[in-house]
Amino acid sequence: MNIRNFCIIAHIDHGKSTLADRLLQRTGAISERDMREQVLDGMDLERERGITIKASAVSVHYELEGQKYLLNFIDTPGHVDFHYEVSRALTACEGAILVVDATQGVEAQTVANAYMAIDANLEIIPVVNKVDLPSARPEEVALEIEHVLGINANECIFCSAKTGQGIDELLAAICKRLPGPKGDESAKTQALIFDSEYDDYRGVIVYFRLFNGRLKVGDKVRTMGTGRTYSITEMGKFMPKMVLQKEPFEAGEVGYMVAAIKTLDDVHIGDTLTLDLYPADAALEGYREPQRMVFCDFYPVGDTQFDALRDAIERLHLNDASFTFAPQNSDALGFGFRCGFLGLLHMDIVQERLERESNVQLVQTAPTVTYEILLHSADGTDRVVQITNPADLPDVAAVREIREPIVKVEIITPNDCIGDLMKLCEARRGIYKSQRYLSETRQILDYELPLAEIIYDFYDKLKSFTRGYGTMDYALLGFRADRLVKLDILVNGDRVDALSVIVHRDKAEYRGRALLKRLKEKIDRHLFEIPLQAAIGGKVIARETISAMRKNVTAKCYGGDVSRKRKLLEKQKEGKKRMKRVGTVDIPQEAFMAVLEPGE
Amino acid sequence: MHIPFCFHKCHYCDFYSLPDSPTGINGPAAGSDRQSAFVDRLLKEIRFQAQRYTLRPRTVFFGGGTPTLLEAELWKKILETMRQMGLLDDVAEFTVEANPETLHENLLTVLVQGGVNRISIGAQSFNVTHLKTLERWHEPASVTRAVTLARKAGIANINLDLIFAIPGQTPDDVRDDLSQALHLQPDHISCYGLTYEPNTALTQRQRAGQIQPVDEEIERRMYGLVRQILAQTGYEHYEISNWARPGRQCLHNLVYWENDSWLGFGPSAASHVQGRRWKNVPHLGAYISSVASAPVADEEELDVNRHVGEVLMLRLRLRAGAERSWLNALLRDDHARWDKVRDLERLGMLAWRDDHLQLTEEGLYVADAVISQLL
C-alpha cells in the first residue's frame, strides 16, 4: 500500500475546506448525496464563522495508473491564533498542499504557513484555487508564490474546488510528487500524538501518526513525556466516518485510538506513544507547549453560580485543552476564572461556546497579555515574576522593570495603504523593520510591536485601512522593558481591579480619559451620582461623573395596567442581573471590555 | 365598565376603543345597532358574574373609550338594570368618564337619576396648540361648559384630567393650564406626565422624529410646579399623579392601589379577585358574540414573591405609603427586601413618616427605579 500523509495549508477563506470536501468526494469517500459543505468542520460554531478549529484527519483510498494509494489528509486551521495546531498537523505529514486564492493572491498567513511547512521539511504542492472566478489572476498569483516563497511557478496546479477543475491533476500530484512515509516496522514503536478530541462515550480519542514499529488493539502503550500507560481498546480511521481497523497499524499510517483516557489533559499533543513493554529509546522531536498569548477573566453573573461556571469550563476544557484556567478572586467581581488563550479569536470562541453549550451567564474582562516583572528584593537580589493580570502587579516600590511581550508582525498590503499602516504601527509603539515588494501592487511590511497594542482592534483597523485587502501574521519575539505603569479605575470611589490596565506612561492620561468616557457611556445612570476616576498609584489623572437618574416614573397605574407595569419593572430589574455589582454600582459586561476599545 | 367607543383616537391613548359617530341628544345615531348589541352583552356579562360572585360594589367606574358616547337610552337601560339587580345599593362613589364635547344636559339627567355622583372630565390642556399635538378634538371652552352642566345637573364631585410634558409645552404653559383648571374648582385633579406608550400614534411620531419629547430636566420642573401649585391651593397629593380636596380622593382608584378586589366588564376590562388577575379580550366582535363569560386574554395568579412585589408596587404609589405594621406582616422574613428598603432609605428615595414608609420627594421622580428594586 502506498501511503501519502499530507495536510492542506492556506490563508483563511482561501478555500481549504471546500478543497478538502472536493477531494473526499472525488475519491468516493462520501457520496454526492452525503455531501455537505465542509464536512470536516464538525461544530456549528465553526460552520457559522467559516473557520476550522480542530484539525481532523481523514483517510481515503485512491487508485492511479493501476496503483493503490491510501491518502491521509489533515485539515488545518487557517487563523493566526492556531499556529500551534498547524505545527502539530505538519509534523505528522510528508507533504503539504498550499492553497492560494487566485484573486486574493499570497497573504500573510500563506507566507507564515508555507514557511512552517518548509521548516518541517515537507514537500509542497502549490495550488491556485478559485480559478473559475472572473476576477482570478492565476498566472500572477503563481508568480507571487515563486517570488515570495521560492517555489517554482510551474509547479502550481490551477484548480477550482467549486467546479472540480484541476482536482484530478491535484490527486495525481499528491500520489506522484509527495514522498511516501519512511518508517521502520521492525524498529521500536514511536507514534506522534498530533491531535485529540473528547467524546462523551469513549473518552479521549487520540489522533496519531505511527512513525516506527506497529500498534494494535490490546497493546499497552506509554506516553513518553508524561509516563502514563493505557491499553488500546479501539483503533481505526476516519473515512470520513469512524471505521474500525482490526489488523495492526504499520509505520507511516495515520489513525485514531481509544484507550480509556479520561481527560484531554492526560494526553499532551506532540507527545510520543510507545509500547510499554518494548519502549523506544527516545521520543520524537518537535513538541512544544502551546503558548497562551492572551488572558482574561470569566465571572458568573445573573442566575449563574460559581460552581456552574466551573463545571462549564471543565466540560469545555475536555474538548479544548489549549486554553488554561485557574480560579481567580477579584475584589470587585468575586470568584471567577483566569483563562489563557492562544489568541483573541480563540478567546471569543471559548466564551461563546461556554455560553452556548452550557447556558451560563458570564462577565468577561478585557483581554491582557503576560508581563514580566523584574523585582528588587529587600536582600538586594533581583528576580523576575510573570503576571497575566494587571491587578497582580506587585507594589511599585519593588518593581525595577516591567517587560512586555513583543511580536514580529508581518503585514501584506496594497501599495497605496502603506502610509496609513505605518502611521498605525507608529501610534502603537511599533519599530519599523523592513518593507519588501511582493508584486507590483503589494508589499510586505515588517514591524516589531508590543503584543498589548495589537490584541484588541489592530486587526480591525488594518482591515479598514486596507479596504479588507490587508492581512497580517504575528509571532512572539520575546519580552522587552518599557515605561509601563498600571492604570487603576475607581468607580464610586472603589478600585475595580478587573478594570486595571497596564499602559505606557506617555499614553496614560490619554488612555485614562478615553476609558472613563467609554465607561460613562456603558454604565447606566443610577439613583445616585457616580464619580469615575483613573489613577496611577494614588494620583488621579482623569475623572468623569455619571449623573444620578433624573426621571423614571410611570404616570398611570390603574386596574388594567397592573400586570403590564409589573412586568415592565421586573424587566428593568432583570436587566441588572446580567451586570456585575461593584459596591453599589451595576456595571454591564461591555464596560469591562471597554478597557481596550479604540480611544481614537 | 369599559365602553369601547370613541369618535376619534387621541394620539397618546393606548386603551382599547373603536371609532363611533357621536350621538345626538335625542336623535338616533349611527352605530346604534352596535351600541345596543354591546350594551345587551354587557348586561349579560354582569348577570353572569352576579351568579358567580356576590356583587355588592362600593364603587362603580365607567371608563373607556368614551362612555358619554353611549346613547342616553342605552345608559338608562344599563343603570336601570344595575339598580334592579341591587348593584347600586352600597355604592358610595359612581364615576363616569366624560369627554367634554359629549356631555349634554339630557345625558347628565339620565346619569344623575341613575345614581352617578362623580364625573371625570378629560380636559388634558387648555391650550389649543398642545391639544392639537395630542390630537384631542375638543375646544378648551367645552371643559368649562361641561363642568357647569355637570354641577347644574347635581354632580358634586368632579375630576379634571390634565397632561403635562406635552411636546412644545413650557413650564409657564403648565402653570397656565393649572390656573385655568383651578378656576373651575374641581374636587379632584389627575395630572399625568405624558407617557409614550408603545403602539400609539404619538410614539410613532416621536420615533419618526416629528415630535421631540420634553427634556427630562424640564419635565421634573413641571412636575415640581404641579405639586407646588396644587399644594398651595388646598389639594392633597395622595398618589403619584393624583390630587384631591379633603375627603375627595377617588375611592374607586384606591381599590387598585390598595390591592382590593374588583370586577371589570366589557372588552379589554381587567379584573382582580384575591390575587387572581385576568383581562377580557380586547375585541368588540369577539365580546359581543361570546356567551356566558367574556373571552379572557391574560390570566395570572402570581407566586408569593411576585405578589409581594406587586402589592408594594401599588402601595408605594400612594403618598401615604405603607404602614409599618402592614409592611411588617407583608415582609415578615423577607430579609432581602428589608435590606433593599434600607438601601433606598440611605439613598434618600424612601423615608418613614408618621409610621409609614413613603417615597421621598426625590423618590417620586424616579419611582419606577425605586420600586423595581423591591420587586
Side-chain angles (χ1 to χ4, degrees), chain A residues 428-439:
Chain A
R428 302 297 174 92
R429 299 189 280 132
I431 298 171
Y432 170 82
K433 298 312 276 187
S434 74
Q435 188 177 357
R436 290 169 284 155
Y437 272 94
L438 170 71
S439 65

Side-chain angles (χ1 to χ4, degrees), chain B residues 22-296:
Chain B
T23 53
I25 299 171
N26 302 309
S32 65
D33 286 351
R34 189 165 65 170
Q35 283 202 1
S36 87
F38 162 72
V39 168
D40 286 348
R41 180 64 187 94
L42 183 74
L43 294 177
K44 266 190 213 150
E45 191 190 9
I46 294 172
R47 284 194 204 98
F48 180 80
Q49 294 291 51
Q51 291 166 7
R52 284 181 164 180
Y53 301 95
T54 314
L55 292 189
R56 305 289 284 183
R58 285 173 289 123
T59 64
V60 174
F61 195 103
F62 274 75
T66 310
T68 45
L69 261 190
L70 269 192
E71 292 168 40
E73 284 308 309
L74 294 173
W75 265 112
K76 264 189 195 162
K77 195 169 174 184
I78 295 171
L79 296 170
E80 182 54 22
T81 307
M82 289 178 75
R83 190 190 61 76
Q84 283 171 5
M85 291 176 72
L87 298 183
L88 303 182
D89 294 356
D90 295 344
V91 170
E93 180 189 282
F94 189 151
T95 308
V96 172
E97 274 186 350
N99 176 302
E101 299 272 320
T102 51
L103 198 59
H104 299 288
E105 214 175 328
N106 182 35
L107 178 61
L108 274 163
T109 309
V110 170
L111 295 179
V112 171
Q113 281 175 358
V116 174
N117 58 15
R118 187 172 182 269
I119 294 284
S120 174
I121 298 169
Q124 321 310 1
S125 173
F126 291 89
N127 180 308
V128 181
T129 311
H130 300 325
L131 284 173
K132 190 161 167 37
T133 306
L134 298 174
E135 284 282 314
R136 276 300 290 202
W137 287 6
H138 71 253
E139 295 287 324
S142 65
V143 176
T144 312
R145 191 188 58 86
V147 170
T148 312
L149 280 178
R151 290 234 168 86
K152 216 172 115 192
I155 301 284
N157 192 353
I158 290 177
N159 168 60
L160 290 184
D161 274 356
L162 291 175
I163 292 178
F164 67 94
I166 302 164
Q169 203 180 27
T170 65
D172 277 346
D173 294 345
V174 173
R175 194 188 293 274
D176 191 55
D177 272 349
L178 281 171
S179 126
Q180 298 215 42
L182 289 169
H183 189 71
L184 299 175
Q185 299 186 305
D187 303 271
H188 186 285
I189 293 179
S190 298
C191 195
Y192 305 107
L194 180 64
T195 304
Y196 293 79
E197 298 286 359
N199 310 318
T200 58
L202 185 79
T203 300
Q204 273 177 24
R205 281 158 62 201
Q206 182 229 328
R207 290 207 180 117
Q210 293 163 2
I211 47 171
Q212 188 67 38
V214 169
D215 177 85
E216 62 178 10
E217 290 302 327
I218 295 175
E219 186 168 346
R220 272 177 69 105
R221 265 170 58 202
M222 289 174 170
Y223 187 48
L225 199 61
V226 171
R227 284 169 39 227
Q228 186 199 335
I229 290 174
L230 293 180
Q232 284 166 359
T233 46
Y235 289 85
E236 186 203 359
H237 189 193
Y238 75 99
E239 193 261 359
I240 286 175
S241 304
N242 286 282
W243 288 259
R245 286 194 162 155
R248 290 298 200 189
Q249 296 186 354
C250 177
L251 301 178
H252 185 81
N253 289 340
L254 284 172
V255 168
Y256 300 138
W257 299 316
E258 288 173 353
N259 203 42
D260 280 344
S261 298
W262 78 87
L263 285 175
F265 300 89
S268 88
S271 302
H272 170 242
V273 177
Q274 292 172 344
R276 192 166 65 92
R277 291 184 193 280
W278 69 92
K279 214 165 189 170
N280 287 353
V281 170
H283 191 284
L284 182 60
Y287 178 72
I288 290 176
S289 60
S290 65
V291 284
S293 64
V296 168

Side-chain angles (χ1 to χ4, degrees), chain A residues 525 527-528 548-573 576 581, chain B residues 14 192-193 197 216-217 219-220 241-242 253 256-257 262 277 279 300 302 306 310 313 317 347 349 365-369 372 375:
Chain A
R525 292 196 294 177
L527 288 170
F528 46 89
M549 189 184 284
R550 300 293 285 159
K551 195 217 127 215
N552 182 218
V553 55
T554 299
K556 283 188 183 188
C557 187
Y558 296 112
D561 308 313
V562 177
S563 298
R564 189 163 60 94
K565 295 296 178 197
R566 192 200 77 244
K567 283 174 190 160
L568 281 175
L569 295 186
E570 277 175 356
K571 217 166 148 191
Q572 193 169 337
K573 184 186 171 203
K576 289 189 176 155
R581 173 159 282 206
Chain B
D14 72 337
Y192 305 107
E197 298 286 359
E216 62 178 10
E217 290 302 327
E219 186 168 346
R220 272 177 69 105
S241 304
N242 286 282
N253 289 340
Y256 300 138
W257 299 316
W262 78 87
R277 291 184 193 280
K279 214 165 189 170
E300 62 178 13
L302 299 178
R306 283 223 160 94
E310 189 173 89
M313 170 184 93
R317 290 188 68 87
L347 290 172
M349 298 295 150
Y365 290 103
V366 289
D368 284 4
S372 78
L375 290 186

Side-chain angles (χ1 to χ4, degrees), chain A residues 306-371:
Chain A
F306 175 81
D307 287 346
L309 178 61
R310 187 186 53 213
D311 290 349
I313 289 178
E314 282 174 354
R315 205 170 322 129
L316 185 59
H317 197 256
L318 287 175
N319 287 299
D320 179 3
S322 60
F323 78 91
T324 58
F325 66 99
Q328 172 82 18
N329 184 12
S330 155
D331 297 340
L333 299 172
F335 289 97
F337 290 94
R338 186 80 180 156
C339 301
F341 308 94
L342 302 174
L344 276 174
L345 178 75
H346 186 214
M347 178 181 79
D348 285 350
I349 288 168
V350 168
Q351 190 233 327
E352 222 174 298
R353 286 187 66 184
L354 279 175
E355 296 199 299
R356 182 185 300 204
E357 292 168 23
S358 295
N359 197 26
V360 291
Q361 293 181 303
L362 48 86
V363 155
Q364 179 197 332
T365 58
T368 67
V369 299
T370 305
Y371 291 94

Side-chain angles (χ1 to χ4, degrees), chain A residues 532-543:
Chain A
L532 303 174
Q533 296 161 305
I536 299 173
K539 189 174 167 247
V540 173
I541 59 162
R543 66 181 77 231

